[in-house]
C-alpha cells in the first residue's frame, strides 16, 4: 500500500479529514487535480459547531485572527440607504451552551490556507496536479488511476472532490435532486470604491430593472464578495467589464468604481443528495455526497462535519481498534443529517425559513444511530447521540477534557457518559454498569474507551 487513506480533493472536507487522520498517525495522502488550493471567497461562513471542531483540530486561533463577524446589512433604494437588516436570528443567552453564538466570516481561500498549514505541521501532504479519474477496489484495498497514467494504492479512499465528483460518477453512484433556482448567479471577489466596509450592502431589484445584487466586505481582506442575480438563460460575463456592468446596472456605483476582480464564477443553486455514501472501500464526503444552495451557509459546514465524523472511524478501523463494519455508521449518521440540512438550505433560499438556531448546527445529533445507547429510564437533557455542550463544571471546561482524538468517559451529576472522539455521546447511563457490553458490541478494546474524567 502507498498509503492507508487516499483523500481525493483538497477543499475544506479533504483538508479537515487529512488533519484528523494525521493527528491519529494514519498514513493519508490528499491529492488535488488543481495546481494549488482553490481561489475565491466561495463559502465564507463558519457556523458555531464548525468553530468548535476547528478548536479541537488546532486551527481556531488562526481562523479567528484571519476573519471577523458578519456585518449588518444595509438596504439601498434609489442610491440611498433605506434601512438595515440583520441576517441571523441572535442566540438567546445560554440557549445552546457554546462559546460561539453566531456565524464567523473568513474567505474560503484563507480558510484553506490555514487548514493546509495545519496538515503540513502534522506531517500530512497535499499532492497537487493529480486528477483521480477512476478507482478500482478489491478485498485488500483500492487502486486510484490518475489522469497522468499513474496509479496509487491505498486501503481506503475518500471522494472529497466536489459536486461534480469524478470518483462518484466512476462508482456509478447517482444524485437525487435538482435546481433550487433557475436564475444564474455571478459570484466574484472584487475591489470597490465608494462603499464603507462596516455594512453588507444589498441592492434589491428595481421595478423593470436587472436582478438583485449584494456586496459584502470580506473580513480580513480589502475585497468585497459580489453576488448578482441574472434572468434564467443569461450567459453570465465573468470578465472585468462584465462584472463592472453588472454592478453599475444594479447599484448607484459607476463601472469604474469596480477597480479589480481577483476571482469570478457563475453559479446555479442546486440541491442534491447521493443515493449512498459508501461503496466498499470508497466513501463520499462533502459536496461529493450532498450539494446545497449557499443560502444559510450550510454546505461547507456540513462537509466539515462529514470529515469529523469519518476521521475517527477510519482511524479506529485502521488501528485494529474497531471492526470494519464501524464505517457503515458513517452513512447511517451523516446521510440523514445531510438530507435535513439540504431541506433547510432550500427553505432559506426560498424565504421559507430563517437563519437561526438550526443553521448554527449545534443541535444536530445522532440519537437514532446504532452507535448511540441510552440506558437511563429517565434521560436528562443530554442524551446518547447528542453533542456534548461547552460547559464549565467545577471550574473545568468540558471541552478541555474532550480535546484530542480519543474517547472520553465523563462522570457528571446528571449521569455517566462515554463521549466519542467527535464530541457526541455514544453511551449514557446512571452508573458505569453496561459500559462493558457497549464496548463489546462495538468491538472496541478497553483502552479505546479512554480514562474516566
Amino acid at each position: 500500500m502507498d498509503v492507508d487513506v487516499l483523500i481525493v480533493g483538497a477543499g475544506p472536507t479533504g483538508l479537515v479529514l487529512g488533519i484528523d487522520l494525521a493527528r491519529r498517525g494514519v498514513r493519508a495522502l490528499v491529492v488535488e487535480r488543481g495546481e494549488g488550493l482553490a481561489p475565491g471567497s466561495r463559502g465564507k461562513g463558519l457556523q458555531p459547531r464548525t468553530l468548535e471542531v476547528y478548536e479541537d483540530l488546532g486551527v481556531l486561533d488562526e481562523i479567528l485572527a484571519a476573519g471577523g463577524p458578519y456585518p449588518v446589512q444595509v438596504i439601498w433604494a434609489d442610491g440611498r440607504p433605506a434601512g438595515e437588516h440583520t441576517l441571523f436570528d441572535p442566540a438567546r443567552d445560554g440557549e445552546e451552551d457554546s462559546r460561539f453564538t453566531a456565524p464567523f466570516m473568513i474567505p474560503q481561500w484563507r480558510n484553506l490556507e490555514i487548514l493546509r498549514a495545519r496538515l503540513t505541521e502534522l506531517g500530512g501532504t497535499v499532492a497537487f496536479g493529480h486528477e483521480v479519474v477512476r478507482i478500482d477496489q478489491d478485498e485488500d484495498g483500492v487502486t486510484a488511476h490518475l489522469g497522468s497514467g499513474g496509479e496509487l494504492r491505498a486501503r481506503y479512499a475518500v471522494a472529497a472532490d466536489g459536486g461534480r465528483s469524478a470518483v462518484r460518477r466512476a462508482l456509478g453512484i447517482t444524485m437525487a435532486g435538482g435546481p433550487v433556482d433557475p436564475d444564474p448567479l455571478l459570484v466574484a471577489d472584487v475591489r470597490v470604491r465608494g462603499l464603507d466596509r462596516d455594512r453588507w450592502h444589498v441592492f434589491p431589484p428595481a421595478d423593470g430593472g436587472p436582478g438583485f445584487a449584494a456586496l459584502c466586505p470580506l473580513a480580513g481582506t480589502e475585497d468585497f464578495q459580489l453576488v448578482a442575480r441574472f434572468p434564467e438563460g443569461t450567459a453570465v460575463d465573468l470578465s472585468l467589464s462584465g462584472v463592472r456592468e453588472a454592478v453599475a446596472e444594479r447599484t448607484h456605483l459607476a463601472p469604474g468604481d469596480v477597480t479589480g476582480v481577483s476571482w469570478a464564477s457563475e453559479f446555479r443553486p442546486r440541491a442534491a443528495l447521493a443515493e449512498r455514501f459508501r461503496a466498499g472501500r470508497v466513501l463520499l464526503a462533502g459536496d461529493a455526497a450532498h450539494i446545497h444552495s449557499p443560502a444559510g451557509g450550510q454546505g461547507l459546514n456540513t462537509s466539515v462535519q462529514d470529515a469529523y465524523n469519518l476521521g475517527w472511524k477510519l482511524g479506529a478501523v485502521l488501528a485494529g481498534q474497531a471492526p470494519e463494519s464501524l464505517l457503515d455508521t458513517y452513512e447511517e449518521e451523516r446521510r440523514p443529517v445531510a438530507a435535513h440540512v439540504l431541506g433547510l438550505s432550500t427553505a432559506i433560499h426560498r424565504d421559507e425559513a430563517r437563519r437561526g438556531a438550526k443553521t448554527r448546527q449545534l443541535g444536530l445529533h445522532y440519537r437514532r444511530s446504532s452507535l448511540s445507547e441510552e440506558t437511563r429510564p429517565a434521560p436528562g437533557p443530554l442524551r446518547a447521540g447528542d453533542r456534548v455542550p461547552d460547559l464549565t463544571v467545577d471550574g473545568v471546561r468540558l471541552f478541555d477534557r474532550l480535546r484530542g482524538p480519543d474517547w472520553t468517559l465523563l462522570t457528571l451529576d446528571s449521569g455517566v457518559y462515554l463521549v466519542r472522539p467527535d464530541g457526541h455521546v455514544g453511551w449514557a447511563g446512571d452508573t458505569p454498569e453496561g459500559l462493558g457490553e457497549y464496548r463489546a458490541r462495538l468491538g472496541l478494546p478497553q483502552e479505546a474507551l479512554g480514562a474516566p474524567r
Side-chain angles (χ1 to χ4, degrees):
M1 298 293 173
D2 295 319
V3 291
D4 290 323
V5 180
L6 178 66
I7 303 168
V8 185
T13 314
L15 293 175
V16 166
L17 181 58
I19 291 169
D20 202 16
L21 293 176
R23 67 176 181 160
R24 299 173 191 281
V26 174
R27 295 182 309 133
L29 174 66
V30 181
V31 295
E32 166 60 45
R33 68 178 182 178
E35 297 298 329
L37 297 173
S41 56
R42 301 177 188 268
K44 62 185 182 295
L46 299 181
Q47 299 295 343
R49 180 54 183 159
T50 299
L51 295 173
E52 292 182 346
V53 172
Y54 276 12
E55 182 178 21
D56 183 42
L57 297 180
V59 298
L60 179 63
D61 289 346
E62 290 81 0
I63 290 289
L64 295 181
Y70 273 76
V72 171
Q73 291 185 334
V74 57
I75 313 300
W76 289 80
D78 299 323
R80 297 171 180 263
E84 292 188 345
H85 174 70
T86 301
L87 191 63
F88 315 105
D89 290 337
R92 296 188 295 270
D93 290 343
E95 178 183 20
E96 293 163 327
D97 296 321
S98 177
R99 170 184 171 187
F100 309 104
T101 59
F104 186 81
M105 187 195 301
I106 181 170
Q108 186 168 317
W109 64 264
R110 186 70 184 106
N111 185 4
L112 295 180
E113 288 182 345
I114 292 170
L115 292 173
R116 185 196 176 190
R118 177 59 172 157
L119 177 60
T120 301
E121 180 184 25
L122 293 171
T125 301
V126 180
F128 292 104
H130 295 286
E131 182 179 11
V132 175
V133 295
R134 191 178 88 250
I135 291 182
D136 298 327
Q137 53 184 311
D138 53 51
E139 62 181 14
D140 297 318
V142 302
T143 301
H145 301 270
L146 306 179
S148 61
E151 294 180 353
L152 287 169
R153 184 78 174 151
R155 292 178 66 183
Y156 293 94
V158 178
D161 52 341
R164 297 182 177 89
S165 171
V167 175
R168 184 193 66 231
R169 294 197 304 267
L171 292 170
I173 297 177
T174 60
M175 298 279 281
V180 172
D181 189 329
D183 295 343
L185 298 175
L186 165 65
V187 184
D189 295 346
V190 300
R191 293 286 176 93
V192 176
R193 62 189 177 207
L195 292 178
D196 65 65
R197 296 190 57 83
D198 61 355
R199 291 291 187 270
W200 183 341
H201 303 273
V202 177
F203 302 88
D207 292 340
F212 161 96
L215 284 157
C216 178
L218 290 167
T221 79
E222 296 181 4
D223 291 343
F224 287 78
Q225 185 189 69
L226 165 68
V227 177
R229 176 175 289 172
F230 290 80
E232 182 180 2
T234 302
V236 178
D237 185 351
L238 304 181
S239 68
L240 175 58
S241 61
V243 172
R244 283 174 164 169
E245 181 180 353
V247 170
E249 287 180 340
R250 292 163 173 78
T251 77
H252 61 277
L253 300 175
D257 289 330
V258 178
T259 61
V261 177
S262 59
W263 168 79
S265 176
E266 179 183 349
F267 179 75
R268 285 176 168 78
R270 297 182 60 226
L273 182 66
E275 62 176 341
R276 51 197 171 113
F277 284 14
R278 184 183 183 191
R281 290 180 171 267
V282 184
L283 300 108
L284 308 184
D287 287 354
H290 42 79
I291 304 170
H292 304 248
S293 160
Q298 300 297 286
L300 181 151
N301 294 275
T302 304
S303 300
V304 167
Q305 306 307 322
D306 287 348
Y308 198 52
N309 181 286
L310 181 57
W312 71 268
K313 295 174 181 178
L314 279 169
V317 171
L318 289 165
Q321 294 180 334
E324 201 264 350
S325 60
L326 179 65
L327 297 179
D328 290 333
T329 67
Y330 167 67
E331 177 180 316
E332 177 192 353
E333 293 182 341
R334 293 305 301 169
R335 194 172 184 275
V337 168
H340 164 75
V341 174
L342 280 171
L344 177 61
S345 297
T346 300
I348 291 172
H349 186 102
R350 294 172 175 167
D351 292 327
E352 297 169 354
R354 286 281 298 169
R355 298 164 178 84
K358 290 183 179 179
T359 56
R360 291 190 281 272
Q361 297 200 346
L362 295 165
L364 295 176
H365 61 79
Y366 306 127
R367 289 184 180 179
R368 297 181 181 85
S369 167
S370 61
L371 296 183
S372 301
E373 187 170 320
E374 177 59 69
T375 68
R376 297 169 295 176
L382 180 60
R383 298 174 52 184
D386 289 354
R387 155 194 162 270
V388 174
D390 187 3
L391 299 177
T392 297
V393 179
D394 296 330
V396 177
R397 186 182 178 216
L398 292 185
F399 275 26
D400 290 338
R401 294 295 180 91
L402 298 180
R403 189 174 297 121
D406 302 316
W407 293 74
T408 304
L409 188 58
L410 289 177
T411 300
L412 305 173
D413 291 341
S414 56
V416 179
Y417 305 93
L418 182 61
V419 184
R420 304 168 7 164
D422 60 1
H424 286 260
V425 176
W427 182 94
D430 289 320
T431 70
E433 184 178 356
L435 264 177
E437 289 81 356
Y438 179 81
R439 171 191 58 81
R441 181 169 70 82
L442 265 63
L444 296 171
Q446 187 64 39
E447 57 268 23
L449 297 184
R453 299 181 182 182

